Amino acid sequence: MHITFLNQFNYIIKLDDIILLWDQRLEYIQNQCLVNLSFDNQSHLDLYHNCIHAIGLAINSLQYLKDTKIDYQKNYNTTLTHRRLKSICKYELFNPFNFIIDHSSRDLAELYKNDLINLNQLLNICYYYNYQIDEYQYLLSRILFPTCIFDVIEDLTIDNINNDYSKQIYEAIKKYHNQIYKVKEYYNAIINLMNIRPINWINQS
């Protein structure tokens, strides 16, 4: 699908726009979502502690994206992607409300972080798409960005915490901890293959 719809929308991705969107989301999480959690609820307290850590990861992701912009000064071709890919069922893949115009790395990061493809499959797809070093870095920024934790805390805020989100919270926390492993796995693979900008703290955490 990415190849079929590549450059079909007369729209390019500017990293400045992505950086602004991620900055705004981070500000929303910090100023609107965290304050709505109830510390009398153990699942909310656990979510809060993990979200504080996730905010740090998001800040690092943003900085890496900013560094990539400085290094390469490039815009990126777009294709048809998905807002989220938590499974590869037909509904998830073909739901028109899940479609979004973006760079292919959006889908690849979702598939990888959600264990729908493994590292070798991810690297094979990147090779097939003829990714350049800056696109591997762009993908790394997306893998770093903790969407699973942020999604669930945003859902809580929108729902005004009227429902029990304990199951979703602990699923997101489990997925987030797995994401940390995924970041290290992908980073260590590509830094041995190409001259990407290093992130020294990854293997120290």
Side-chain angles (χ1 to χ4, degrees), residues 64 67-68 71-72 123 131-141 144 183-200 202-203:
Y64 197 69
D67 290 340
T68 298
D71 289 343
Y72 293 96
L123 295 178
Y131 269 21
Q132 304 302 304
I133 292 177
D134 57 295
E135 290 175 293
Y136 283 96
Q137 291 192 184
Y138 188 9
L139 177 56
L140 177 55
S141 292
L144 276 165
V183 167
K184 292 180 181 180
E185 181 185 51
Y186 174 76
Y187 173 78
N188 287 324
I190 61 171
I191 201 166
N192 288 322
L193 293 173
M194 62 195 72
N195 188 30
I196 66 162
R197 176 183 277 268
I199 307 177
N200 294 326
I202 282 184
N203 288 313

Side-chain angles (χ1 to χ4, degrees), residues 3-54:
I3 299 296
T4 302
F5 289 97
L6 186 64
N7 297 326
Q8 295 298 307
F9 302 100
N10 194 30
Y11 178 72
I12 58 172
I13 294 288
K14 297 179 180 178
L15 289 190
D16 279 335
D17 295 337
I18 303 299
I19 290 165
L20 178 61
L21 285 171
W22 289 8
D23 263 328
Q24 290 173 340
R25 188 178 190 194
L26 193 53
E27 183 177 345
Y28 174 69
I29 294 290
Q30 292 173 299
N31 297 331
Q32 302 294 325
C33 298
L34 285 177
V35 296
N36 282 327
L37 295 176
S38 170
F39 289 169
D40 293 331
N41 184 314
Q42 185 61 48
S43 65
H44 289 200
L45 186 59
D46 292 337
L47 177 60
Y48 175 83
H49 290 311
N50 280 273
C51 194
I52 293 299
H53 188 275

Side-chain angles (χ1 to χ4, degrees), residues 28 36 44 153-163 165:
Y28 174 69
N36 282 327
H44 289 200
I153 198 170
E154 286 174 336
D155 288 345
L156 272 166
T157 301
I158 293 169
D159 198 34
N160 293 315
I161 319 182
N162 290 324
N163 296 311
Y165 272 79

Side-chain angles (χ1 to χ4, degrees), residues 15-116:
L15 289 190
D16 279 335
D17 295 337
I18 303 299
I19 290 165
L20 178 61
L21 285 171
W22 289 8
D23 263 328
Q24 290 173 340
R25 188 178 190 194
L26 193 53
E27 183 177 345
Y28 174 69
I29 294 290
Q30 292 173 299
N31 297 331
Q32 302 294 325
C33 298
L34 285 177
V35 296
N36 282 327
L37 295 176
S38 170
F39 289 169
D40 293 331
N41 184 314
Q42 185 61 48
S43 65
H44 289 200
L45 186 59
D46 292 337
L47 177 60
Y48 175 83
H49 290 311
N50 280 273
C51 194
I52 293 299
H53 188 275
I55 287 169
L57 192 65
I59 290 170
N60 278 280
S61 173
L62 266 166
Q63 186 57 55
Y64 197 69
L65 196 60
K66 291 174 182 177
D67 290 340
T68 298
K69 173 185 173 291
I70 292 169
D71 289 343
Y72 293 96
Q73 295 293 326
K74 276 182 61 176
N75 296 323
Y76 293 89
N77 296 324
T78 58
T79 185
L80 192 62
T81 65
H82 301 82
R83 182 181 178 274
R84 292 289 179 267
L85 276 175
K86 297 178 181 178
S87 74
I88 51 174
C89 67
K90 289 182 179 179
Y91 178 79
E92 194 93 348
L93 290 173
F94 300 111
N95 177 5
F97 297 106
N98 196 30
F99 287 145
I100 189 168
I101 299 169
D102 207 334
H103 186 259
S104 58
S105 60
R106 183 189 187 108
D107 275 357
L108 298 190
E110 282 286 304
L111 291 166
Y112 181 58
K113 287 193 288 188
N114 287 311
D115 287 324
L116 300 174

Side-chain angles (χ1 to χ4, degrees), residues 108-186:
L108 298 190
E110 282 286 304
L111 291 166
Y112 181 58
K113 287 193 288 188
N114 287 311
D115 287 324
L116 300 174
I117 58 174
N118 61 34
L119 176 65
N120 287 334
Q121 290 170 318
L122 175 65
L123 295 178
N124 285 339
I125 294 169
C126 292
Y127 178 79
Y128 178 72
Y129 286 176
N130 196 29
Y131 269 21
Q132 304 302 304
I133 292 177
D134 57 295
E135 290 175 293
Y136 283 96
Q137 291 192 184
Y138 188 9
L139 177 56
L140 177 55
S141 292
R142 287 193 173 276
I143 295 171
L144 276 165
F145 201 82
T147 49
C148 58
I149 288 289
F150 288 172
D151 282 353
V152 76
I153 198 170
E154 286 174 336
D155 288 345
L156 272 166
T157 301
I158 293 169
D159 198 34
N160 293 315
I161 319 182
N162 290 324
N163 296 311
D164 181 10
Y165 272 79
S166 297
K167 181 181 178 182
Q168 294 95 315
I169 287 170
Y170 287 115
E171 285 176 351
I173 291 172
K174 181 180 179 181
K175 189 177 292 185
Y176 174 63
H177 291 168
N178 185 53
Q179 179 185 342
I180 305 301
Y181 165 77
K182 292 279 189 177
V183 167
K184 292 180 181 180
E185 181 185 51
Y186 174 76

